[in-house]
């Protein structure tokens, strides 16, 4: 997810091929800040963030941030309502879209590694008004994600028949707010270890899932594709059921999180290889080992994780409890990540004068407490589960988060399309690009399929329809709002000479689409810095006895 929001102004209106040295943090002005970026830490008091995350923490957070409750719990909903074949096909389709999206984001992030990720690129290459709406949409997405993850924690506790699980959610909410209120390093260290646990658990699950399928289960029998041939399988729910798995994967989008670190890695697609492999193998093994009609797999009052079911089939209640504990920690991790990201998005909006200035205030430790409290207050929605059921509430929140993630993917595609158009319009050679996904040219900027079929087919559901599509209307409203505000702001025509200052406001076009022919493609470009020692170590590893293992490692994560 993007942690920073776009700026209100653009400094890319004209081409300037000269590079100026960066100003000191104490002397930063709005003209020195890249579009979509925030000023860095300074020493001037209570309105700046502190850089407290290490590269170790950032890399693991980026990878672990894509593995959350959508995978651990959402697969249960996908299997119950779509069936094993629908789940595998849809996850493969969306996985391909995610992969291409990361390639497109990687092109921009390696060329312009500025804070703001895809929000900044949408502002710079497409439209500042769209960037404004996108930032507010993503703040809402993060805030809702916290509520979704706290509700997921209640569902996980049902495995142990815990009464009044909302009390645990309240305690967890207070814990997350406290951690994020202390210091950025407290968030980073907690998220690092929780993300590490999730990655390790996925690897263990894949190994156990294979063993369970070939006979290492309580019945000591070979399962194979048996659950694909039971009545109703492998496709459940027809066309409407086919849509559910796509949205469930979208709730764990996370591609935008990888974009934050893409500008600092040699291979922006490496981490995505491993993540997609983890997802697809997990989905395949779930569909093979868990029947779609497993009791309480997904209903209005509860949802059971297929991961826990597979561990239980392995023959150990203790192992199932361990898996459930990991899923609970995943909910904590996802909520922690969403709360941190949402707080920074709101802080960024305030710094860019696109939200009340009170949200730009920080403590001496660099924590934006007003933005933190505002973001965390939205998560109070999770306590509504006492009235409508945890399972139903979680499904609605997942719909909201899923559509928001897909809007992000679409926005990355739009920004990439405009970036490539600008590169071509200005005649820059492709060889000057730091990273280029050659096989995606020219069709690369992907399409996005917004879900909602199941709210219409086979029966219309007003509540489900709103949970799927309300964010589209909110996004459009915020976009038009900024265009109207922009029209109301004074805008003077540029002076023709120093002796003829502007005397009257100039009319400006209603829409603020960026002219690709006049974008400064040189400003903020990344300058190559090769690490000679790291390259030498890599060459030695590839020549050693375990060269095959290192080759796999560098392919997946390096």
């Amino acid at each position: 997810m993007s942690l920073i929001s776009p700026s209100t102004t653009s400094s890319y209106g004209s081409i300037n091929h000269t590079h100026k040295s960066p100003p000191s943090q104490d002397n930063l002005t709005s003209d020195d800040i890249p579009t979509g970026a925030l000023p860095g830490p300074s020493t001037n008091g209570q309105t700046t963030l502190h850089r407290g995350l290490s590269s170790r923490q950032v890399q693991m957070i980026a990878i672990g941030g894509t593995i959350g409750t959508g995978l651990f719990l959402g697969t249960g909903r996908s299997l119950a309502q779509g069936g094993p074949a629908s789940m595998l096909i849809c996850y493969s389709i969306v996985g391909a879209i995610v992969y291409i999206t990361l390639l497109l984001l990687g092109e921009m992030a390696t060329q312009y590694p500025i804070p703001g990720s895809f929000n900044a690129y949408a502002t710079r290459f497409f439209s500042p008004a769209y960037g404004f709406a996108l930032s507010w949409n993503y703040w809402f997405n993060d805030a809702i994600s916290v509520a979704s993850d706290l509700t997921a924690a209640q569902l996980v506790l049902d495995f142990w028949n815990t009464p009044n699980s909302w009390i645990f959610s309240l305690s967890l909410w207070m814990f997350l707010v406290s951690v994020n209120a202390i210091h950025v390093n407290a968030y980073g260290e907690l998220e690092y270890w929780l993300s590490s646990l999730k990655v390790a658990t996925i690897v263990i699950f894949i190994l156990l899932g294979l063993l369970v399928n070939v006979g290492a289960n309580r019945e000591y029998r070979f399962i194979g594709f048996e659950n694909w041939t039971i009545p109703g399988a492998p496709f459940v729910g027809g066309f409407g059921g086919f849509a559910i798995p796509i949205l469930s994967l979208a709730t764990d989008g996370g591609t935008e999180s990888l974009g934050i670190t893409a500008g600092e890695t040699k291979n922006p697609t490496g981490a995505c290889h491993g993540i997609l492999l983890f997802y697809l193998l997990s989905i395949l093994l779930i569909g093979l080992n868990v029947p779609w009609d497993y009791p309480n797999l997904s209903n209005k009052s509860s949802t059971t994780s297929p991961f826990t079911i597979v561990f239980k089939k392995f023959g150990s209640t203790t192992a199932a409890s361990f898996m459930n504990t990991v899923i609970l920690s995943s909910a904590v991790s996802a909520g922690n990540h969403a709360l941190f990201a949402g707080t920074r998005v709101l802080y960024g909006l305030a710094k860019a004068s696109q939200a009340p200035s009170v949200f730009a205030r920080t403590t001496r430790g660099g924590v934006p407490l007003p933005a933190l409290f505002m973001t965390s207050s939205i998560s109070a929605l999770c306590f509504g589960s006492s009235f409508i059921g945890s399972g139903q509430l979680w499904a609605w929140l997942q719909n909201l988060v899923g559509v928001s993630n897909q809007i992000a993917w679409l926005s990355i595609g739009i920004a990439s399309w405009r970036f490539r158009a600008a590169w071509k319009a200005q005649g820059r050679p492709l060889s000057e690009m730091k990273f280029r996904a050659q096989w995606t040219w020219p069709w690369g900027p992907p399409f996005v399929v917004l879900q909602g079929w199941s709210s219409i087919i086979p029966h219309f559901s007003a509540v489900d329809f709103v949970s799927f599509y309300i964010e589209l209307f909110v996004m459009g409203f915020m976009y038009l709002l900024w265009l109207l505000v922009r029209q109301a702001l004074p805008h003077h025509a540029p002076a023709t000479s120093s002796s003829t200052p502007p005397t009257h406001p100039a009319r400006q076009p209603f829409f603020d689409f960026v002219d690709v022919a006049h974008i400064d493609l040189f400003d903020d470009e990344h300058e190559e810095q090769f690490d000679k020692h790291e390259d030498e170590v890599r060459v030695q590893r590839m020549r050693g006895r375990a060269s095959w293992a290192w080759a796999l490692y560098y392919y997946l994560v390096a």
Side-chain angles (χ1 to χ4, degrees):
M1 292 182 184
S2 170
L3 302 185
I4 316 289
S5 62
S7 171
T8 57
T9 60
S10 174
S11 58
Y12 305 101
S14 61
I15 301 177
N16 177 15
H17 293 184
T18 61
H19 293 269
K20 58 183 179 180
S21 59
S24 65
Q25 291 292 346
D26 294 332
N27 298 321
L28 274 177
T29 65
S30 60
D31 294 332
D32 298 318
I33 304 170
T35 298
L38 286 180
S42 70
T43 59
N44 63 351
Q46 308 300 308
T47 60
T48 57
L49 302 176
H50 291 186
R51 291 192 178 107
L53 294 179
S54 66
S55 58
R56 166 184 65 90
Q57 293 170 334
V58 170
Q59 291 289 346
M60 183 54 70
I61 290 171
I63 296 175
T66 63
I67 303 174
T69 53
L71 175 63
F72 289 124
L73 286 176
T75 46
R77 179 187 177 204
S78 298
L79 181 60
Q81 300 184 26
S86 293
M87 184 170 63
L88 182 61
I89 294 173
C90 288
Y91 272 63
S92 299
I93 292 174
V94 177
I97 295 175
V98 168
Y99 180 70
I100 295 173
T101 302
L102 182 61
L103 291 177
L104 304 178
L105 182 58
E107 283 187 346
M108 296 182 289
T110 51
Q111 198 74 26
Y112 308 103
I114 60 175
S117 191
F118 68 97
N119 286 348
Y121 302 129
T123 298
R124 178 171 185 169
F125 297 112
F126 181 52
S127 162
Y130 186 84
F132 166 78
L134 186 62
S135 292
W136 272 107
N137 171 75
Y138 233 72
W139 172 77
F140 181 69
N141 169 74
D142 288 330
I144 290 295
S145 293
V146 179
S148 174
D149 296 324
L150 292 178
T151 305
Q154 298 179 32
L155 295 173
V156 173
L157 289 174
D158 288 342
F159 179 80
W160 295 296
N161 298 318
T162 305
N164 299 321
S165 56
W166 67 270
I167 297 178
F168 178 83
S169 288
L170 177 61
S171 302
L172 181 58
W173 176 83
M174 296 174 63
F175 170 73
L176 293 179
V177 173
S178 300
V179 168
N180 281 269
I182 297 173
H183 190 271
V184 63
N185 192 55
Y187 154 81
E189 200 61 26
L190 174 64
E191 192 62 23
Y192 172 81
W193 290 108
L194 290 177
S195 296
S196 301
L197 178 61
K198 288 189 292 185
V199 173
T201 301
I202 291 294
V203 175
I204 295 174
F205 170 79
I206 291 174
L207 296 176
L208 287 184
L210 289 171
L211 293 175
V212 168
N213 189 258
V214 299
N217 50 63
R218 289 184 173 182
E219 293 82 15
Y220 299 102
R221 65 183 180 84
F222 177 78
I223 298 177
F225 282 84
E226 177 182 306
N227 290 319
W228 284 51
T229 60
I230 61 177
F235 297 96
V236 178
F239 187 69
F242 188 80
I244 297 298
I246 294 183
L247 189 65
S248 295
L249 178 56
T251 59
D252 266 348
T255 306
E256 318 82 57
S257 298
L258 295 174
I260 296 173
T261 58
E264 304 174 27
T265 58
K266 293 183 178 181
N267 180 10
T269 66
C272 194
H273 290 148
I275 292 166
L276 290 178
L277 181 62
F278 286 159
Y279 262 87
L280 293 181
L281 284 177
S282 298
I283 296 304
L284 175 61
L285 291 171
I286 287 171
L288 291 176
N289 294 321
V290 181
W292 70 270
D293 56 355
Y294 189 90
N296 296 323
L297 185 60
S298 178
N299 54 50
K300 290 186 177 181
S301 60
S302 65
T303 296
T304 303
S305 170
F307 287 79
T308 302
I309 296 173
V310 171
F311 270 69
K312 194 173 183 179
K313 283 192 171 188
F314 188 67
S316 173
T317 304
T318 303
S321 293
F322 165 76
M323 184 67 234
N324 218 53
T325 303
V326 171
I327 297 173
L328 184 60
S329 72
S330 173
V332 176
S333 171
N336 188 39
H337 180 77
L339 184 58
F340 176 85
T343 299
R344 269 61 186 177
V345 168
L346 185 55
Y347 166 85
L349 284 165
K351 290 289 288 187
S353 301
Q354 295 179 340
S357 60
V358 65
F359 296 123
R361 297 178 182 177
T362 64
T363 65
R364 291 184 177 180
V367 177
L369 280 183
L372 171 63
F373 292 148
M374 182 62 187
T375 304
S376 62
S377 65
I378 303 298
S379 59
L381 288 171
C382 69
F383 304 121
S385 61
S386 302
F387 305 99
I388 62 178
S390 299
Q392 182 64 72
L393 176 62
W394 184 73
W396 290 343
L397 293 175
Q398 288 290 91
N399 293 344
L400 289 170
V401 174
V403 171
S404 180
N405 280 333
Q406 292 185 38
I407 290 175
W409 298 347
L410 174 63
S411 301
I412 292 171
I414 293 175
S416 174
W417 166 53
R418 300 287 289 175
F419 163 65
R420 292 179 173 190
W423 200 273
K424 183 178 179 180
Q426 297 184 24
R428 288 194 63 177
L430 297 178
S431 59
E432 292 184 5
M433 295 184 67
K434 313 300 180 185
F435 167 76
R436 181 186 171 215
Q438 185 171 359
W439 62 276
T440 67
W441 285 64
W443 59 271
F447 64 91
V448 64
V449 182
L450 293 174
Q451 298 311 304
W453 300 326
S454 60
S455 65
I456 303 174
I457 302 173
H459 302 291
F460 177 77
S461 171
V463 175
D464 289 342
F465 182 84
V466 170
S467 70
F468 276 114
Y469 288 123
I470 189 173
E471 273 197 82
L472 297 182
F473 295 103
V474 173
M475 182 90 174
F477 171 77
M478 298 302 290
Y479 175 74
L480 292 175
L481 175 64
W482 184 249
L483 290 177
L484 293 173
V485 170
R486 174 174 168 271
Q487 288 290 318
L489 294 176
H491 180 76
H492 295 281
T496 57
S497 68
S498 58
S499 61
T500 57
T503 57
H504 59 84
R507 296 193 61 179
Q508 55 181 333
F510 182 73
F511 294 101
D512 63 350
F513 298 119
V514 175
D515 183 1
V516 295
H518 296 91
I519 299 174
D520 188 347
L521 294 176
F522 291 86
D523 198 12
D524 300 314
E525 271 196 310
H526 174 65
E527 295 183 3
E528 294 287 353
Q529 295 180 352
F530 295 100
D531 190 332
K532 184 177 180 180
H533 174 70
E534 182 180 337
D535 290 340
E536 291 176 351
V537 171
R538 180 167 181 163
V539 170
Q540 291 177 359
R541 288 172 174 174
M542 296 297 291
R543 291 177 178 175
R545 294 182 178 179
S547 59
W548 63 271
W550 284 114
L552 179 62
Y553 169 79
Y554 286 122
Y555 177 76
L556 293 178
V557 300

